[in-house]
Amino acid sequence: MPHYQKRGKIPHKRHTQFKKPKGGLYSEQLVSTEGFHSVSSLIYHCHPPTLVKMIDEPIDVTPKIAQQKNMQHRCYKGFSIQPVEDYLKSRVPVLVNNDVHIVLAAPQKSTKGYFYKNSDADEVIFVHEGTGIMKSVFGELKFGYGDYIVIPRGTIYQMEFATKNNRLFIVESFSPVVYPKRYRNEFGQLMENSPYCERDIRAPQNLTTTDRKGDFLVYIKKQGLLYPYHYAAHPFDAIGWDGNHYPYIFSIHDFEPITGRVHQPPPVHQTFEAHNFVICSFVPRKYDYHPLSIPAPYHHSNVDSDEVLYYVDGDFMSRKHVERGMITLHPIGIPHGPHPGTVEKSIGKEETKELAVMVDTFKPLSLTVDAKKIEDGSYYLSWLDSSTSRKFHQKTDIE
Ligand SMILES: [Fe+2]
């Protein structure tokens, strides 16, 4: 729920005549994710956003479910997802439910020949590797390592990569993604105790008005189908816009960790929230400073959420079996916690360099066929001590 922004030219009063220099009116469009009562923006187009020329046959991209119900700790090697040239084809859903789809992608090329719009879901694209520019009617967002690109549903966009090796961790949310309510005051401003503030939010820049007629292909995603829409006007034809609804970037590197004398619970890492799930950031931080503190987390029974951890970077590289891009899933119903030996090992350590993204879903996740292909099947046995067949060792100091 970003703060007010204005780009380009807009009329003095909303919903009034806004004349083009050579005659005619600009077309006003209200965009929001929840009716007319939530945050919104007004966009002024050179052409009406309704000029449909043709619709091709839709393409089915519904996630293929391998296992609908899960009651086992899981581990996936996210970097085993194969790079694919095309951005949309590269997107591989791995864990899904009715509230959220967790998607991995390793696109190699920019979306030059088409545009994309997700009409069902807000998208949070965490950039693990790669740089580039996300373009939309609102302007440009330059992205790089550690950025969360938050794209409200209904936003037509293109990804222009400057790099060939790109790794994205994408969260598709079927409800609006917002700043946690407890970080906001009654006026919507981020409060002093929030781990980030408005200065950390990067809004679109360099608004370019592309006033062009022709044939412009927009893949519109709805209910698992991609509809190839052909429009007669370029989608990025805004002369101006203003409001609180727009794509933005928040970098995980700008998340200020909250620490304490003793171990702090996962909610201190919360970054975004949506209906029935939250996104948290685990960032480099000083450890607990009570003289008898145990930096490693305690065991906990997540009886109300499936916990998904995506390992980004940090000193876990020096440890066995935790890789960049790895995902662990600790499902509702069974406890999890530190691996044997890691509690004792953590005592006396002063800081962690780990970087990770967590998605806690309040409803169980289903496992896709593609997730099964990259699974390390022995993970659920990894809490057995070394006297037994502990092939897998590793739980880092993250929850
Ligand atoms: Fe946990």
Side-chain angles (χ1 to χ4, degrees), residues 179-185 189-198 200 250 254-258 268 270-271:
Y179 307 152
K181 194 161 188 277
R182 69 177 193 281
Y183 295 166
R184 293 179 260 139
N185 66 20
Q189 185 179 11
L190 289 162
M191 292 190 288
E192 282 292 311
N193 60 341
S194 169
Y196 57 92
C197 74
E198 284 81 358
D200 300 315
F250 170 66
D254 285 328
F255 187 92
E256 295 303 327
I258 295 167
V268 300
Q270 192 180 345
T271 310

Side-chain angles (χ1 to χ4, degrees), residues 74-296:
R74 306 277 175 181
C75 176
Y76 304 102
K77 291 170 181 275
F79 276 16
S80 294
I81 293 289
Q82 290 306 302
V84 172
E85 285 191 349
D86 178 68
Y87 173 62
L88 289 181
K89 287 179 183 163
S90 77
R91 293 165 58 119
V92 178
V94 286
L95 302 168
V96 299
N97 68 17
N98 289 332
D99 302 310
V100 61
H101 287 184
I102 294 171
V103 176
L104 294 169
Q108 295 176 306
K109 286 195 170 171
S110 305
T111 49
K112 287 267 187 203
Y114 63 87
F115 303 81
Y116 169 59
K117 175 169 98 170
N118 193 330
S119 69
D120 274 338
D122 287 23
E123 295 191 349
V124 180
I125 302 175
F126 178 79
V127 181
H128 194 166
E129 289 187 353
T131 58
I133 299 172
M134 179 270 189
K135 293 183 171 178
S136 73
V137 73
F138 299 95
E140 297 179 347
L141 285 167
K142 273 189 188 173
F143 63 80
Y145 169 54
D147 283 339
Y148 291 104
I149 311 171
V150 182
I151 306 171
R153 81 191 70 170
T155 305
I156 298 174
Y157 73 89
Q158 288 182 314
M159 295 290 276
E160 197 173 292
F161 295 104
T163 43
K164 191 180 178 192
N165 297 320
N166 305 294
R167 290 279 172 184
L168 309 175
F169 175 79
I170 303 172
V171 175
E172 288 186 53
S173 169
F174 297 94
S175 58
V177 173
V178 298
Y179 307 152
K181 194 161 188 277
R182 69 177 193 281
Y183 295 166
R184 293 179 260 139
N185 66 20
E186 61 182 306
F187 304 104
Q189 185 179 11
L190 289 162
M191 292 190 288
E192 282 292 311
N193 60 341
S194 169
Y196 57 92
C197 74
E198 284 81 358
R199 281 186 205 183
D200 300 315
I201 304 302
R202 285 143 56 197
Q205 305 294 335
N206 307 325
L207 177 68
T208 304
T209 308
T210 310
D211 181 0
R212 217 164 69 217
K213 292 289 227 27
D215 188 319
F216 301 93
L217 174 61
V218 183
Y219 284 107
I220 304 178
K221 190 174 179 190
K222 185 175 178 184
Q223 294 176 299
L225 296 181
L226 277 176
Y227 294 89
Y229 263 69
H230 294 260
Y231 280 94
H234 195 287
F236 304 161
D237 69 340
I239 190 76
W241 63 271
D242 78 331
N244 294 51
H245 170 103
Y246 48 85
Y248 65 91
I249 286 178
F250 170 66
S251 169
I252 196 168
H253 306 301
D254 285 328
F255 187 92
E256 295 303 327
I258 295 167
T259 57
R261 278 217 329 152
V262 293
H263 188 78
Q264 297 295 298
V268 300
H269 306 285
Q270 192 180 345
T271 310
F272 301 111
E273 70 186 14
H275 179 63
N276 278 345
F277 79 93
V278 296
I279 298 175
C280 300
S281 303
F282 289 82
V283 301
R285 61 195 182 278
K286 294 284 185 195
Y287 272 141
D288 325 325
Y289 47 90
H290 186 285
L292 296 177
S293 70
I294 299 175

Side-chain angles (χ1 to χ4, degrees), residues 266 300 302 307 330 336-337 358 360 395 398-399:
H300 50 283
N302 41 315
E307 286 189 14
H330 300 136
H336 63 276
M358 185 167 78
D360 273 8
K395 173 73 182 167
I398 290 171
E399 298 306 319

